[in-house]
Amino acid sequence: MDFYDLFFYLSMGGGLLMAFALGANDVANSMASAVGARAITVRQAVLIAALLNFVGAVLLGSQVTATISKGIIDPTAITDPRVMTLGMFSSLLAAGVWVLVATLTSLPVSSTHSIVGAILGFGFLVGGPEVVNWLKMGGIVMSWIISPFFAAIIGFLVFSHIRKTIFVSHDFIRQSKKWGAIWMALTCGLIMISFFYKTPFGERLDLSLGAAAAVCLVVMAAAWIVTRRGLEKLVPDPAAGAEGVEQVFRKMQIFTSCYVALSQGANDVANAIGPVAAVYVLAKTGMLATKAEVPIFMLVIGGLGIALGIGLLGHKVMATVGEKITTLTNTRGFAVDIGAATTVLLASNLGLPVSTTHAAVGAVTGVGLARGFKAVDFGVLGRIVIYWVLTVPAAAFTSVLIYRILDWIVS
């Protein structure tokens, strides 16, 4: 077995570790609002996320191409394929270990920023500061500030609207049926836009803006009609009061959670498997590439890793995001989902490397603040922010350390 074959098999193990950590942390925190609001149990969240993430990764994520260096370093500036092989393997291990450490301490971090930090550390070590795309790094730093604040504002506004139009009203049930159908139509529109422009399968459809808008409008109209009729049967008793309202939004939250799990599998599996694909290309051709198509068997391994991660350790991060920052109900959880999803969609289309983790935590905080400062545990929030700031330097330092040790062993 030569050097490249050996490190390809080792990288498969590293990719599985990264996928496991991604499932335990990133995927888990996206399901946290539904669990915290009691729309679904932890066991149901694990089953939904594991199954739909696997399906999303293997079916919708097929033929996804992974940017080898995440745009952080210029891979053509590192001309020795052995150095790039060692660097990608070191980056995978470093990012996976950091996300796993954060998971074991029950704190949500961005797996994307972990792999970015790890590749930055290795690239800086072997190529110097000139191979690093500092403009891209600046955008990532800006996203730490923009995405949580933006998601917090949207979550705050959505929940404030629900409270003003439904809970302050004299007729809870009639207003919840009216606004529940409208919010469901808007949610379906958001999901369709996200599907067309944020999943590899939707991008392959290559619909024009007009065609995509027409499909979205049809889906929104259908969702409004179906929801109106469904809510008439679901909440027939006007005396149901506030619990009847929560029942309406509970059903809507299950729907949004299923979509989040499916799209996350399609998109995020490349974070874990992208560097493995880089080593795979190097092992097969001995040449560097800026992008690589991820083979289906790697997506299967990535999907299995994500499913195992959320199944075994996902409950830790779910508890922090869904229960410890603020108390969530179904209406609040629904506002969190809308705030996080809208932020990720808008920021991504603007070219900002936004993190779903940061958006979800920001939206939870915004919804909590809608009930006042005392409703938010700023101690928990402070520990989360410290881990966000530490993610890039910690992953970079670990990557450098692993690379140095491996380089010494194989030299």
Side-chain angles (χ1 to χ4, degrees):
M1 186 181 293
D2 67 11
F3 171 87
Y4 294 107
D5 286 337
L6 172 64
F7 274 90
F8 167 63
Y9 291 119
L10 289 174
S11 297
M12 292 289 287
L16 187 62
L17 170 69
M18 185 63 189
F20 179 88
L22 191 151
N25 200 300
D26 261 31
V27 177
N29 79 57
S30 67
M31 304 293 290
S33 65
V35 173
R38 306 287 187 268
I40 50 178
T41 64
V42 172
R43 180 174 294 182
Q44 288 169 332
V46 166
L47 286 174
I48 290 171
L51 178 64
L52 294 184
N53 261 274
F54 182 80
V55 170
V58 176
L59 298 183
L60 299 182
S62 63
Q63 297 180 26
V64 64
T65 53
T67 304
I68 298 305
S69 69
K70 305 295 290 180
I72 293 299
I73 61 169
D74 177 9
T76 60
I78 302 170
T79 54
D80 187 342
R82 288 172 65 93
V83 171
M84 183 59 95
T85 301
L86 278 184
M88 286 296 123
F89 177 65
S90 304
S91 301
L92 262 178
L93 278 189
V97 167
W98 172 250
V99 178
L100 203 55
V101 166
T103 304
L104 292 174
T105 51
S106 305
L107 292 173
V109 294
S110 165
S111 62
T112 304
H113 291 183
S114 300
I115 194 73
V116 161
I119 291 174
L120 169 73
F122 143 72
F124 195 94
L125 177 71
V126 301
E130 60 270 19
V131 305
V132 177
N133 185 342
W134 294 106
L135 188 64
K136 182 92 173 181
M137 271 308 300
I140 289 174
V141 172
M142 286 300 294
S143 78
W144 294 341
I145 302 165
I146 294 172
S147 53
F149 276 94
F150 195 55
I153 291 170
I154 297 177
F156 181 95
L157 293 175
V158 171
F159 180 64
S160 296
H161 180 270
I162 291 171
R163 188 165 58 179
K164 182 179 176 183
T165 55
I166 298 176
F167 287 118
V168 179
S169 164
H170 294 295
D171 191 345
F172 286 178
I173 300 303
R174 188 176 65 82
Q175 285 293 90
S176 67
K177 289 176 182 176
K178 173 186 171 184
W179 284 104
I182 292 172
W183 276 116
M184 195 62 189
L186 290 172
T187 302
C188 287
L190 186 67
I191 285 173
M192 287 309 298
I193 295 170
S194 174
F195 180 78
F196 286 138
Y197 295 106
K198 283 291 291 173
T199 65
F201 184 80
E203 289 170 0
R204 285 204 303 278
L205 290 176
D206 196 24
L207 293 182
S208 67
L209 183 62
V215 173
C216 287
L217 287 174
V218 170
V219 170
M220 288 172 69
W224 184 81
I225 294 169
V226 170
T227 307
R228 283 285 293 182
R229 292 181 178 175
L231 291 180
E232 291 297 332
K233 295 179 181 177
L234 182 66
V235 192
D237 184 6
E243 179 50 37
V245 177
E246 297 296 340
Q247 193 178 347
V248 169
F249 281 87
R250 188 175 303 141
K251 300 294 181 188
M252 291 159 65
Q253 240 198 316
I254 294 171
F255 174 73
T256 54
S257 297
C258 289
Y259 172 71
V260 167
L262 193 68
S263 65
Q264 203 158 24
N267 288 300
D268 289 0
V269 69
N271 279 344
I273 299 301
V276 183
V279 176
Y280 178 67
V281 171
L282 284 163
K284 285 186 68 175
T285 67
M287 297 175 63
L288 300 172
T290 54
K291 285 193 172 185
E293 192 167 289
V294 180
I296 192 75
F297 75 90
M298 289 189 194
L299 293 169
V300 171
I301 291 172
L304 285 173
I306 290 173
L308 279 173
I310 192 168
L312 295 178
L313 292 178
H315 62 279
K316 288 178 171 289
V317 174
M318 276 187 209
T320 301
V321 179
E323 297 173 5
K324 294 182 180 175
I325 298 174
T326 192
T327 304
L328 293 177
T329 59
N330 298 117
T331 45
R332 295 170 200 161
F334 179 78
V336 168
D337 289 343
I338 294 293
T342 307
T343 300
V344 171
L345 187 61
L346 290 178
S348 298
N349 288 335
L350 290 172
L352 290 171
V354 67
S355 158
T356 308
T357 301
H358 298 176
V361 171
V364 169
T365 307
V367 169
L369 288 175
R371 297 183 298 121
F373 281 91
K374 289 184 178 177
V376 177
D377 188 331
F378 286 98
V380 173
L381 199 59
R383 289 198 293 277
I384 291 173
V385 172
I386 289 171
Y387 264 63
W388 289 357
V389 174
L390 286 176
T391 291
V392 168
F397 176 76
T398 311
S399 172
V400 167
L401 190 65
I402 294 172
Y403 178 83
R404 280 296 192 199
I405 293 171
L406 289 175
D407 188 41
W408 176 73
I409 292 172
V410 300
S411 295

